[in-house]
Amino acid sequence: AASWTDVSEPDGLARFGFAVAVDAENPDVAWVVPAQADEKRVAYGGAMCVARTEDGGRTWTALRQGLPQSRCYDLVYRHGLDVSGDSLAMGSTTGNVFVSDDRGESWTCVGNHFPPVYSARFEAQS
């Protein structure tokens, strides 16, 4: 931690977000759930997405398939996104829970109207 590199997109979606997950096998692969700003804690542009980098943050891809794209007020807290292999899970402050089995390419809502979700975690299999 002697030096740091800024990997955010100053003019793109991946410039701010609380939830970040990193691939355990490849540290160049990571996901972030973008939000408007710290003082405006809602989905960026009223549409939910997950941004993924596969090159250590040099470029980011917005992944939206299956996520709400209008009037979306979901925010994902720091511990609300997790990855295990090709699967990701996230829960939002509005009580929606989403999963992806293809590294974030597409998402399925597996439940909603829960209380705010503070953490999403995969349980280790023995």
Side-chain angles (χ1 to χ4, degrees), residues 94-97 109 111-116:
T94 57
N96 295 317
V97 177
C109 182
N112 42 24
H113 306 296
F114 294 114

Side-chain angles (χ1 to χ4, degrees), residues 13 44 47-50 62-69 104-105 107:
L13 283 172
Y44 186 83
M48 191 171 199
C49 85
V50 175
L63 308 169
R64 300 176 179 277
Q65 187 177 340
L67 297 174
Q69 294 302 294
E105 291 290 329
W107 294 85

Side-chain angles (χ1 to χ4, degrees), residues 9-100:
E9 282 184 309
D11 298 320
L13 283 172
R15 69 176 186 273
F16 178 81
F18 292 109
V20 177
V22 179
D23 187 308
E25 301 298 319
N26 183 350
D28 285 337
V29 178
W31 297 263
V32 63
V33 183
Q36 200 66 28
D38 190 28
E39 64 277 359
K40 191 173 182 184
R41 296 179 176 205
V42 294
Y44 186 83
M48 191 171 199
C49 85
V50 175
R52 180 181 64 212
T53 182
E54 296 179 298
D55 57 11
R58 287 185 294 281
T59 61
W60 292 87
T61 302
L63 308 169
R64 300 176 179 277
Q65 187 177 340
L67 297 174
Q69 294 302 294
S70 64
R71 297 183 181 190
C72 177
Y73 300 99
D74 294 68
L75 180 78
V76 178
Y77 286 137
R78 284 174 179 82
H79 302 292
L81 174 66
D82 196 21
V83 60
S84 178
D86 289 342
S87 298
L88 288 100
M90 68 176 164
S92 75
T93 56
T94 57
N96 295 317
V97 177
F98 300 91
V99 296
S100 171

